Amino acid sequence: MEDQRRTDSTARLMIVKAHKLLEPYKNKHAGEECIIFGTGPTLKDFDQTIAEGKTLMGSNEIVYYDLLMDYYLIGDAGTAKRGYNSDPQVYNEYTPNFVKFCRQPEPKHKRLSGYNTVPRNIDSFTYFITDGECYRARNPYLMNTIRDVGSVSLELAQFAVFLGYKTIYLVGQDCDYSQGSYKSSVSRAVLQWSKCFVTKWRLFADYLEKKHPHVNVYNINPVGLIGVFDDY
């Protein structure tokens, strides 16, 4: 599929499909270890010495965390109280060591017609469109692409597998927003996603077992994902 272009009133940027985005990254970190940071409350309890020697991948509010990520991904723009829209300057200026991705919705998806997107004219972002949504798919995880599962952490997990990591550690992936995030207060908008996220993580675990049995995933300070992956 040809690269898809979108026009903004102040800039013109290339937004590519996920499978095109991934091509240069195939097995770039083969055999290495990475940590995927969520922003659940347990992030506050993370022992940062564990991060030494590992690639760090994070999303959303991780811009406020005191470890600089190597890869960063943001999806929707959040609200005036949480996420990109709460402080665009912080998100625009955040500079991970490798690359900062921004997932944009596929325009043809009616479900996303009211999607609250990050502006498409920010030079610091590398924009891409996921290769289809998969909320109703029995197993949405496909090789050589990134599927939109409503969770940027899960999209980072798909990316990590494509990069060739042999060991993936999960931090702050609580899937429980009853106490808010590590930075923000509880939000009804995210509470409703908790069970959905756990279901999708289980599908991801099943996908790894069948397609990538050599990849090990460990959950640090588990909450919502207890029993889905081995505890660290």
Side-chain angles (χ1 to χ4, degrees), residues 20-227:
K20 288 288 187 181
L21 172 82
L22 289 175
E23 289 176 356
Y25 295 95
K26 179 69 173 179
N27 290 326
K28 184 175 182 179
H29 296 278
E32 299 178 16
E33 298 182 331
C34 73
I35 301 177
I36 299 177
F37 289 87
T39 54
T42 60
L43 178 59
K44 299 175 183 177
D45 303 322
F46 176 62
D47 177 1
Q48 294 187 356
T49 62
I50 299 173
E52 296 176 3
K54 300 176 180 64
T55 304
L56 310 184
M57 310 174 76
S59 59
N60 296 337
E61 290 179 322
I62 207 69
V63 296
Y64 298 104
Y65 192 54
D66 58 359
L67 280 180
L68 180 64
M69 298 294 108
D70 295 305
Y71 292 99
Y72 177 82
L73 171 61
I74 191 171
D76 66 86
T79 68
K81 295 182 178 180
R82 182 179 184 273
Y84 180 90
N85 283 341
S86 67
D87 196 342
Q89 183 175 352
V90 170
Y91 286 81
N92 292 341
E93 294 180 353
Y94 185 73
T95 305
N97 291 318
F98 298 155
V99 65
K100 182 167 68 172
F101 294 117
C102 178
R103 176 244 286 158
Q104 295 280 290
E106 174 61 71
K108 68 181 181 181
H109 292 160
K110 294 181 180 180
R111 183 188 64 77
L112 299 175
S113 60
Y115 193 88
N116 192 13
T117 60
V118 172
R120 293 173 174 174
N121 63 336
I122 310 301
D123 291 338
S124 61
F125 284 109
T126 296
Y127 294 86
F128 73 95
I129 297 174
T130 52
D131 286 318
E133 60 178 279
C134 55
Y135 290 90
R136 298 175 181 83
R138 183 174 181 181
N139 196 329
Y141 304 101
L142 304 176
M143 298 176 67
N144 303 334
T145 190
I146 296 176
R147 288 286 182 176
D148 177 359
V149 291
S151 166
V152 288
S153 287
L154 270 163
E155 287 155 28
L156 280 174
Q158 296 173 66
F159 184 50
V161 173
F162 193 82
L163 285 167
Y165 288 103
K166 70 172 183 180
T167 306
I168 300 172
Y169 300 91
L170 304 178
V171 175
Q173 308 292 350
D174 297 357
C175 297
D176 181 352
Y177 297 99
S178 60
Q179 303 300 317
S181 69
Y182 95 104
K183 182 180 182 298
S184 301
S185 59
V186 65
S187 167
R188 280 187 173 183
V190 292
L191 272 175
Q192 64 181 341
W193 286 100
S194 297
K195 291 183 178 180
C196 176
F197 288 161
V198 173
T199 298
K200 297 303 182 183
W201 276 112
R202 289 187 185 280
L203 287 174
F204 181 69
D206 181 61
Y207 163 75
L208 290 182
E209 183 178 354
K210 294 177 180 178
K211 301 292 186 178
H212 299 275
H214 61 286
V215 176
N216 299 305
V217 180
Y218 299 100
N219 200 358
I220 298 176
N221 299 326
V223 177
L225 296 181
I226 293 175

